[in-house]
């Protein structure tokens, strides 16, 4: 089973690196906001894999909190960016 965890963590690492690249090179503000939301999803998935590896359920509230903060932050940033684009 540890081989599966290693493969999943490697794939999450690649996804994280690609997402950071997208954040840095995104052509627009909304692209960067979407990339940040995707980065939050990758972090939540990595913490979930950590919880599965160590059979530790104490991280589940952390998963819920990070996912909620990521969703609210992305929705708020997208709304502000849309408002800012409209007033340009």
């Amino acid at each position: 089973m540890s081989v599966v965890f290693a493969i999943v963590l490697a794939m999450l690492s690649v996804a994280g690196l690609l997402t950071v690249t997208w954040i840095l090179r995104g052509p627009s503000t909304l692209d960067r906001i979407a990339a940040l939301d995707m980065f939050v999803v990758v972090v939540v998935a990595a913490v979930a894999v950590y919880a599965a590896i160590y059979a530790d359920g104490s991280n589940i509230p952390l998963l819920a909190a990070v996912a909620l903060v990521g969703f609210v932050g992305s929705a708020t940033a997208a709304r502000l960016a849309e408002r800012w684009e409209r007033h340009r």
Side-chain angles (χ1 to χ4, degrees), residues 28-48:
S28 72
T29 304
L30 291 176
D31 287 329
R32 289 185 171 102
I33 292 169
L36 283 171
D37 190 36
M38 184 172 171
F39 190 72
V40 168
V41 170
V42 169
V43 168
V44 168
V47 173

Side-chain angles (χ1 to χ4, degrees), residues 19-66:
T19 304
V20 169
T21 303
W22 189 17
I23 291 170
L24 296 175
R25 297 182 59 170
S28 72
T29 304
L30 291 176
D31 287 329
R32 289 185 171 102
I33 292 169
L36 283 171
D37 190 36
M38 184 172 171
F39 190 72
V40 168
V41 170
V42 169
V43 168
V44 168
V47 173
V49 169
Y50 171 83
I53 289 172
Y54 293 105
D56 183 18
S58 66
N59 290 329
I60 292 176
L62 173 68
L63 290 172
V66 170

